């Protein structure tokens, strides 16, 4: 029996993206966002939605670029912190001890210590309400060698990305592999 | 040391959404999509991106509505199958034995047997390239009582949603709880 829970932002799972930008003074900033995901295969694009009140929102509009750094389980405190404080008041790289790396492809920094990086140039801004959706074209993906399998594929069990559960407001890790896509369901 | 992997659609994790629609004859259809996520809090909106070639794409344009049914781990074969065959040729509800339920709120069906349902009315269509992004306003979320905690919150460990790993093309379950959001990172 299903219960009606009303209109709310609830899907499972949602990602934990650490969005990197430069401000007007060139200071590197990061913020955490869970409203986003891949939105196109050709050109490869990623969407991330931010409230206008965030420091990152203005940075993306001005610089027309952002990165997504994917934190591992060991970075869960840092990822949460980056969603709690504003780059207006705090140098989040300084307080965290993480290292900003200036992308050579887009006008934005990424987190050196995080295992998986997506570098994006801004291609669309969609005003949806409280949130603005930024669509970035992926210019490159970078991964630590330590999270790769043979064949240059990125192993999610080595990345150990976080998922955010909106309803209970908790972070979760990734579980077991359940099967090969485009294969396990060939025969029902 | 980071390796450059080129421009591609790779973030971890991505969700596994089973998108429900009616076709022009009122036949209920489902397809699986991993390019999507929450995109706005007020109004609550969810985005899902589909290729124009899909049957579901035309259904959403015509009916201006869709649902998202979140499959559990036990539904992994069905979820994969729904991404392998087209509703043009196959009655996916009939072959799967699942039950379509007509939403009372939007002009689309959902999967009775899946634990978590999001009912959406179409509010935006964004052409991004190979994929069209459909933004739906969430009109209601419905969940099985069996996946809820006290206090009407949906427990991700009871839903057991799937994640899709794009690079290795595999499905994964949800792992352990790693902490409370907006809390664990208050002190670094």
């Amino acid at each position: 029996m299903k219960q009606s829970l009303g209109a709310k932002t609830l899907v499972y799972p949602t990602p934990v993206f650490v969005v990197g930008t430069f401000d007007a003074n060139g200071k590197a900033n990061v913020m955490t966002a869970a409203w986003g995901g891949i939105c196109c295969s050709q050109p490869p694009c990623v969407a991330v939605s931010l409230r206008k009140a965030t420091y990152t929102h203005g940075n993306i509009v001005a610089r027309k670029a952002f990165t997504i750094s994917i934190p591992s389980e060991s970075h869960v405190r840092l990822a949460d912190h980056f969603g709690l404080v504003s780059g207006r008041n705090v140098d989040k790289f300084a307080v965290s001890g993480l290292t900003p790396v200036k992308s050579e492809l887009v006008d934005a920094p990424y987190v050196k210590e995080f295992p998986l990086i997506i570098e994006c140039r801004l291609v669309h801004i969609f005003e949806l309400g409280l949130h603005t959706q930024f669509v970035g074209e992926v210019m490159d993906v970078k991964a630590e060698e330590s999270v790769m399998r043979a064949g240059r594929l990125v192993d999610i069990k080595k990345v150990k990305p976080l998922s955010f559960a909106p309803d209970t407001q908790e972070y979760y890790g990734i579980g077991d592999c359940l099967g090969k896509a485009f294969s396990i369901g060939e025969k029902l």
Side-chain angles (χ1 to χ4, degrees), chain A:
Chain A
M1 181 69 185
K2 285 196 169 55
Q3 291 191 18
S4 170
L5 304 178
K8 59 179 177 176
T9 47
L10 173 50
V11 300
Y12 283 160
T14 74
V16 176
F17 291 161
V18 170
V19 181
T21 54
F22 285 125
D23 74 4
N25 299 317
K27 186 182 81 172
N29 187 47
V30 276
M31 79 164 282
T32 303
W35 292 177
I38 295 169
C39 59
C40 188
S41 294
Q42 294 172 24
C45 291
V46 175
V48 61
S49 289
L50 305 175
R51 288 176 297 112
K52 288 171 200 69
T54 62
Y55 199 50
T56 297
H57 187 289
N59 290 352
I60 295 177
V61 170
R63 297 283 187 143
K64 302 197 184 320
F66 62 92
T67 64
I68 295 172
S69 299
I70 305 284
S72 280
E73 292 185 8
S74 60
H75 306 125
V76 63
R77 281 178 186 277
L78 294 170
D80 192 51
H81 191 72
F82 294 161
L84 283 169
V85 295
S86 171
R88 270 192 199 85
N89 317 310
V90 177
D91 183 331
K92 299 191 208 179
F93 278 101
V95 299
S96 67
L98 296 175
T99 313
V101 177
K102 182 174 166 41
S103 167
E104 294 180 357
L105 299 172
V106 302
D107 189 14
Y110 60 82
V111 180
K112 180 181 179 181
E113 289 81 359
F114 286 9
L116 184 61
I117 307 297
I118 300 97
E119 297 160 279
C120 300
R121 74 176 183 96
L122 182 66
V123 289
H124 298 288
I125 299 177
F126 298 128
E127 299 296 346
L128 300 179
L130 182 64
H131 284 74
T132 302
Q133 182 183 233
F134 295 104
V135 175
E137 180 180 347
V138 179
M139 306 309 289
D140 194 24
V141 174
K142 291 180 168 64
E144 287 292 324
E145 289 177 11
S146 60
V147 300
M148 301 196 58
R149 294 182 190 168
R152 291 170 58 82
L153 295 179
V154 178
D155 188 333
I156 195 170
K157 291 294 280 185
K158 295 178 180 175
V159 173
K160 299 182 187 294
L162 305 172
S163 291
F164 174 61
D167 217 27
T168 56
Q169 303 208 324
E170 294 161 330
Y171 299 108
Y172 285 83
I174 279 290
D176 295 332
C177 184
L178 303 171
K180 190 79 185 160
F182 313 113
S183 170
I184 190 176
E186 278 184 4
K187 292 184 182 173
L188 288 184

